[in-house]
């Protein structure tokens, strides 16, 4: 069955498989057209009445097909605006992204991203207008390598009252995202007499690559249920370590917090050796069961480089992050920043400073904290029946991701990820985060509950529950090599 849509504004031939059933055939036809790019993002579709008349289907059949594709994230519907192709619609597995290297899944539960639909567009626009109405024209020229005084001053107050950071504005440097901040610090460490950096194991492999590209060596620092094993830094195996990267408030990906004894041991190591602690506070604002744990920097401000970012609270597209440095590092890091990209863009800094000083940023963070807490609660509730076979290893109630441990004797990680892929569901695999592969490593999948838009979150959890359900996962496979 086919229909020529040219009569109602969309020039597209839709081929429907009659064998699949009338509603299913229409769903497949629309889904394939979106995946293949024949229906571009933002394209407005005909009304259910018009499409029903053109294809010979009932209006109820067309409406049901539209509703299903809206739930899957392919379409969006707004009152008064009709039905349109989603701006970021899922793609066919294996199809190239417009600007990326990997295909977009039907349901994306990979860790590392916030729900970007929560971006406070109205507040950002109001702050932008205030900034543009008051700043001099010189703001459009070259800026200072360390960042604008307005944002550094605003952050000094904000970090002090919300994260316990001892921050003087002169010790703060604004960077183009966390990646640049880590690279700048790694370069400074690499130029020192102990050019090796210890990094948590497991941890994000991309961060290890950043450190190596900056010229520093990498040494794994094991993580257990009490966080990084910081006591090992005082052993002979770590004598050449000049810095250590830790995520004390919420270790990624295990979800643990650094135990107070290990915090003290880490601070003692830095004081006794002159080593640098690089504190990655990537999601410290998002704790759901109690007040957030204060930053480690408050214990040893002269030995900790505190790194924070707007990527999780606002969105990674802003490319805004900050470092609070020991005094001895301000000069070298500022010089490295100058020669890296001169300075981070200015207007975004001024707008963020306005949001912070007007407390709009606090209000946004509180709203996001409630949003992600509800998502985490829904995730754990939805996986309840699966806990006979899978145990929740999500660590503390915090952040934007949860680790689900796979018990011995059950389906292995590779098989679970393959089963998820068959359903168009993308998850993170714990195997990707270890420094070295080993058959003795625990297995697990990491669920990023911040990534999906609200309209597709419930459907994504349904797919996850199917994968982690009591039925065995099909096709056990050999471990990765």
């Amino acid at each position: 069955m086919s229909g020529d849509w040219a009569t109602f504004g969309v020039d597209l031939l839709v081929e429907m498989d009659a064998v699949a059933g009338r509603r299913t055939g229409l769903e497949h036809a629309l889904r394939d057209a979106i995946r293949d790019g024949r229906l571009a993002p933002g394209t407005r579709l005909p009304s259910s009445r018009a499409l029903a008349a053109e294809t010979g289907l009932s209006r109820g059949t067309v409406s049901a097909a539209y509703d299903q594709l809206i739930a899957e994230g392919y379409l969006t519907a707004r009152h008064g605006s009709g039905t349109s192709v989603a701006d970021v619609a899922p793609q066919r597995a294996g199809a190239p992204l417009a600007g990326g290297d990997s295909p977009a899944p039907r349901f994306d539960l990979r860790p590392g991203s916030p729900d970007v639909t929560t971006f406070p567009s109205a507040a950002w626009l109001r702050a932008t207008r205030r900034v543009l109405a008051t700043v001099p024209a010189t703001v459009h020229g070259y800026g200072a390598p360390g960042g604008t005084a307005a944002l550094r001053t605003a952050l000094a107050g904000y970090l002090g009252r919300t994260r316990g950071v001892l921050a003087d504005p002169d010790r703060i440097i604004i960077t183009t995202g966390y990646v640049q901040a880590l690279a700048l610090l790694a370069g400074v460490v690499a130029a020192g007499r102990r050019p090796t950096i210890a990094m948590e194991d497991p941890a994000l492999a991309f961060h290890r690559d950043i450190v190596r590209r900056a010229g520093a060596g990498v040494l794994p620092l094991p993580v257990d249920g009490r966080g990084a094993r910081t006591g090992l830094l005082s052993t002979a195996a770590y004598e050449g370590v000049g810095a250590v990267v830790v995520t004390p408030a919420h270790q990624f990906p295990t979800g643990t917090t650094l135990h107070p004894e290990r915090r003290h041991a880490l601070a003692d190591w830095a004081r006794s050796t002159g080593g640098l602690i690089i504190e990655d506070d990537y999601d410290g604002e998002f704790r759901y069961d109690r007040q957030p744990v204060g930053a480690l920097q408050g214990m040893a401000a002269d030995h900790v480089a505190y790194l924070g970012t707007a990527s999780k609270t606002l969105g990674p597209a802003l490319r805004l992050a900050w470092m609070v440095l020991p005094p001895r590092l301000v000069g070298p890091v500022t010089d490295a920043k100058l020669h890296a990209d001169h300075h981070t863009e200015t207007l975004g800094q001024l707008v963020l400073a306005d949001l912070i000083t007007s407390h709009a940023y606090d209000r946004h963070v509180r709203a996001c904290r409630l949003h992600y807490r509800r998502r985490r609660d829904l995730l754990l509730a939805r996986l309840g029946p699966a806990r006979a076979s899978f145990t929740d290893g999500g660590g503390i109630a915090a952040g934007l991701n949860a680790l689900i441990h796979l018990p011995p004797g059950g389906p292995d990680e590779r098989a679970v990820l393959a089963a998820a892929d068959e359903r168009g569901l993308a998850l993170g695999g714990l195997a990707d985060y270890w420094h070295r592969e080993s058959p003795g490593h625990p297995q697990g999948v990491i669920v990023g509950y911040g990534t999906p838009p609200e309209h597709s979150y419930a459907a994504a959890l349904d797919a996850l529950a199917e994968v982690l359900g009591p039925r065995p996962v099909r096709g056990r496979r050999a471990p990765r090599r």
Side-chain angles (χ1 to χ4, degrees), residues 135-185:
V135 296
T138 54
V139 76
H140 302 294
Y142 289 107
T148 66
L151 181 54
R152 289 187 287 110
T153 300
L155 282 171
Y158 175 79
L159 295 174
R161 65 181 168 81
T162 64
R163 302 298 298 126
V165 173
L166 304 176
D168 184 280
D170 291 337
R171 292 169 58 175
I172 297 177
I173 293 178
I174 309 302
T175 63
T176 309
Y178 171 83
V179 167
Q180 185 184 58
L182 180 60
L184 294 176
L185 285 170

Side-chain angles (χ1 to χ4, degrees), residues 222-402:
V223 170
D224 59 22
R226 302 172 77 188
R229 297 176 57 190
T230 56
L232 295 175
L233 294 171
S234 299
T235 65
Y238 292 84
E239 284 183 0
V241 169
V244 56
V245 179
V246 290
T247 50
H250 187 220
Q251 204 278 330
F252 184 83
T254 66
T256 62
T257 57
L258 188 60
H259 190 276
E261 291 181 2
R262 295 187 178 182
R263 284 184 166 229
H264 287 288
L266 182 56
D268 290 343
W269 168 83
R271 293 189 188 100
S272 63
T273 65
L276 176 67
I277 302 169
I278 301 175
E279 179 176 10
D280 178 2
D281 196 34
Y282 67 101
D283 67 355
E285 296 90 348
F286 297 133
R287 182 75 186 255
Y288 311 127
D289 58 345
R290 47 159 288 174
Q291 287 291 316
V293 176
L296 177 65
Q297 192 264 4
M299 296 176 54
D302 290 339
H303 301 278
V304 177
Y306 172 91
L307 276 58
T309 176
S311 291
K312 301 298 185 289
T313 55
L314 292 173
L318 291 178
R319 309 312 304 141
L320 285 173
W322 43 87
M323 294 185 278
V324 182
L325 299 175
R328 63 186 172 88
L329 289 181
V330 172
V333 175
T334 301
D335 183 68
K337 169 67 176 174
L338 173 66
H339 290 88
D341 64 353
H342 200 290
H343 69 95
T344 299
E345 65 91 14
T346 302
L347 286 178
Q349 294 186 54
L350 296 176
V351 174
L352 179 55
D354 183 280
L355 288 178
I356 293 173
T357 56
S358 67
H359 302 300
Y361 188 70
D362 292 72
R363 292 190 291 272
H364 170 70
V365 169
R366 287 198 299 270
C368 286
R369 189 181 296 131
L370 179 61
H371 175 67
Y372 293 129
R373 176 180 179 174
R374 288 171 174 166
R375 284 201 167 192
R376 185 179 189 276
D377 290 346
L378 185 59
L379 166 67
L380 298 183
R382 187 66 183 85
L383 293 184
R387 291 183 185 175
S389 301
F390 296 86
T391 57
D392 171 30
I396 62 171
L400 307 181
N401 58 272

Side-chain angles (χ1 to χ4, degrees), residues 50-222:
L51 183 55
E54 185 70 18
T55 59
L57 302 175
S58 71
R59 188 179 180 187
T61 296
V62 175
S63 295
Y66 275 7
D67 289 343
Q68 178 62 30
L69 295 177
I70 289 170
E72 294 178 8
Y74 288 94
L75 302 178
T76 60
R78 295 180 179 87
H79 181 69
S81 300
T83 303
S84 303
V85 178
D87 289 338
V88 185
Q91 290 179 282
R92 184 191 307 278
L97 291 172
D101 299 323
S102 59
R106 177 183 176 193
F107 300 118
D108 193 351
L109 287 175
R110 289 172 294 192
S113 294
D115 179 1
V116 294
T117 65
T118 64
F119 184 83
S121 299
W124 188 268
L125 180 59
R126 289 192 295 268
T128 301
R129 287 172 172 163
R130 287 193 296 266
V131 167
L132 291 176
T134 56
V135 296
T138 54
V139 76
H140 302 294
Y142 289 107
T148 66
L151 181 54
R152 289 187 287 110
T153 300
L155 282 171
Y158 175 79
L159 295 174
R161 65 181 168 81
T162 64
R163 302 298 298 126
V165 173
L166 304 176
D168 184 280
D170 291 337
R171 292 169 58 175
I172 297 177
I173 293 178
I174 309 302
T175 63
T176 309
Y178 171 83
V179 167
Q180 185 184 58
L182 180 60
L184 294 176
L185 285 170
V188 171
V189 173
R193 60 185 180 85
R194 289 184 294 166
T196 299
I197 296 180
M199 304 185 74
E200 293 173 330
D201 187 22
L204 195 62
F206 180 53
H207 291 172
R208 296 194 289 271
D209 293 340
I210 292 166
V211 169
R212 293 189 180 103
R213 282 177 175 267
V218 173
L219 195 63
L221 182 64

